[in-house]
Amino acid sequence: MTGRSQASAGDLLELVRSGRATTRGALQQVTGLSRATVGQRLDRLFRAGWLREGAGGPVDSPLGGRPSITLEFDDEHAVVLAADLDTRHARAAVLSLTGEILAEHTGTLVIEDGPDAVLGGLGRWFAQVLEKAGRPAGAVCGIGLGVPGPVDSETGRVVQPPIMPGWDGYDIRGRLARAFTEHTGAGPVPVLVDNDANLMAYGEQRTGYPDCSAFVLVKVSTGIGAGVVVDGAVYRGIDGGAGDIGHIRVGADALCRCGSYGCLAAVASGGAVARRLAEAGVAAASGSDVRDLLAAGHPEAVGFAREAGRLVGDVLATVVTLLNPGVLMIAGDLAGTPFLTGVRELLYQRALPRSTAHLDVVTSRLGERAGLVGAGALVVEHLYAPERAEERLLAMGV
């Protein structure tokens, strides 16, 4: 808020959504606005369908009287579409504005087929999940997409992605918006794009660790990436490159898909473990194959995963020392006991005791849905932020 007397309808919505002020009286007190002005601005939010009245709250006055009516964000007036791309698989879903997954679809989409084909496929999936959820395409207020590469959040374009050939600089937002319209007949909606690990971290932190002010998630699948959430916001760096720990050099001579030698991803990712297993005569071609082998307790897969965990743990000792997080979460295809054991071995051995004294090292709570939940939350926080909400209200004519 720019000033107590200048609080907009969007500011009032933010106060209600955050729980900081949920009655008319509380909004007057927090903003300094008159009763009439608060009423006028709330009326705009009611007409937009964004607010509703809840149950009566406690009586504000010690002298008694009628209980104050609470105000609630109406999460039923719209839905969000979200998708999470991996190298060979993808997930798409319809979510409520509070993050509940209403319908979802999982299937094969090969990232190397290029953005036009992949994003067109997502458009078809979106139409299917909307039908499954029983929601009209006109109810969609925005789309969130997670991709396995660094993203410039200002443009929504990936920047020199090592495992996304043909995607560098591509207009993902525009193509996905067109695909949505082509397959649903609905008008264009905003599209937000971010790195998959960022969205996983955002979803996990918001739902499971909302009070953690420094949260790190490391995704170990085909590649290795990290998402960092500081004070409730994703930390992306200056152009989306923060968290790309898979390309830290670890002294090995293995060739990475980025073209360099010795990257962490080249020796410790799910893809790297799959290659080691294949060389040992075990049928494995991807991180998902390794995940299945680990679930079956395959001894060589268990051993290689633990070794990979030790390599990642060595790098994470530096990450933990630098960021001093309260939670370090391991997610992705290798996020099981063998890999986590290896991470802990080297992390606690190499990091200073002070850096790990208040650190929880955990695995994912949301599992494969973390990216979808994070993508949905990103869209909602963008669309209902005070300034953007005010712009949308004006566009709606309320």
Side-chain angles (χ1 to χ4, degrees):
M1 253 177 275
T2 56
R4 290 171 64 89
S5 63
Q6 298 175 325
S8 67
D11 289 314
L12 300 192
L13 180 66
E14 178 70 14
L15 289 169
V16 173
R17 289 185 62 233
S18 66
R20 290 168 55 200
T22 57
T23 66
R24 289 169 173 80
L27 289 170
Q28 288 175 238
Q29 185 175 17
V30 170
T31 63
L33 296 175
S34 69
R35 179 177 180 179
T37 302
V38 167
Q40 290 168 357
R41 293 180 183 174
L42 289 178
D43 184 58
R44 297 176 65 200
L45 297 171
F46 282 119
R47 281 187 285 143
W50 295 358
L51 278 189
R52 64 187 173 205
E53 290 186 341
V59 176
D60 291 334
S61 169
L63 301 177
R66 291 183 301 174
S68 54
I69 299 298
T70 59
L71 303 170
E72 301 174 350
F73 179 59
D74 189 341
D75 64 338
E76 297 180 359
H77 72 270
V79 293
V80 174
L81 288 169
D84 188 17
L85 293 178
D86 208 331
T87 52
R88 301 191 65 82
H89 298 88
R91 305 175 76 88
V94 185
L95 294 92
S96 72
L97 297 181
T98 50
E100 178 188 359
I101 293 180
L102 306 176
E104 65 182 307
H105 176 80
T106 304
T108 299
L109 279 179
V110 181
I111 207 96
E112 291 185 351
D113 288 345
D116 188 63
V118 170
L119 298 174
L122 284 181
R124 289 190 296 274
W125 288 12
F126 285 155
Q128 293 170 14
V129 292
L130 283 168
E131 183 177 358
K132 188 185 298 185
R135 299 302 297 263
V140 176
C141 63
I143 299 172
L145 174 65
V147 298
V151 177
D152 183 337
S153 60
E154 293 297 317
T155 65
R157 299 172 188 250
V158 291
V159 183
Q160 299 177 358
I163 58 175
M164 299 178 69
W167 290 72
D168 186 21
Y170 185 85
D171 181 16
I172 296 175
R173 288 177 178 171
R175 177 67 182 99
L176 189 53
R178 291 193 302 275
F180 168 72
T181 298
E182 289 164 6
H183 291 283
T184 66
V189 296
V191 176
L192 298 183
V193 186
D194 209 334
N195 170 262
D196 55 355
N198 284 348
L199 294 180
M200 291 173 69
Y202 195 50
E204 294 277 10
Q205 188 271 337
R206 286 175 58 87
T207 57
Y209 303 89
D211 297 325
C212 181
S213 60
F215 178 97
V216 176
L217 177 143
V218 179
K219 179 185 179 184
V220 187
S221 291
T222 301
I224 300 176
V228 180
V229 180
V230 177
D231 292 334
V234 175
Y235 178 75
R236 300 181 176 87
I238 60 171
D239 63 2
D244 202 6
I245 64 170
H247 300 285
I248 292 175
R249 305 291 176 84
V250 293
D253 59 0
L255 176 63
C256 182
R257 294 184 65 172
C258 73
S260 297
Y261 286 88
C263 293
L264 180 65
V267 293
S269 65
V273 173
R275 285 193 297 275
R276 290 193 65 186
L277 287 167
E279 291 168 359
V282 179
S286 66
S288 58
D289 292 336
V290 177
R291 179 189 60 207
D292 294 341
L293 289 167
L294 289 171
H298 190 282
E300 285 179 288
V302 168
F304 289 155
R306 183 166 178 169
E307 288 181 37
R310 288 171 60 85
L311 291 167
V312 173
D314 197 7
V315 169
L316 290 180
T318 301
V319 172
V320 166
T321 301
L322 178 65
L323 296 177
N324 190 209
V327 174
L328 171 62
M329 178 175 284
I330 307 298
D333 291 331
L334 298 193
T337 299
F339 185 86
L340 192 63
T341 299
V343 167
R344 285 178 166 148
E345 285 178 10
L346 263 289
L347 174 62
Y348 289 109
Q349 178 182 325
R350 298 292 170 85
L352 290 172
R354 188 198 178 288
S355 299
T356 57
H358 303 289
L359 175 69
D360 289 330
V361 182
V362 300
T363 54
S364 171
R365 290 187 174 192
L366 298 176
E368 295 181 345
R369 290 178 163 180
L372 295 175
V373 173
L378 188 74
V379 171
V380 172
E381 292 306 314
H382 171 74
L383 292 180
Y384 295 93
E387 288 187 11
R388 181 63 178 143
E390 192 65 27
E391 292 173 4
R392 295 176 63 211
L393 288 170
L394 291 171
M396 294 166 65
V398 299

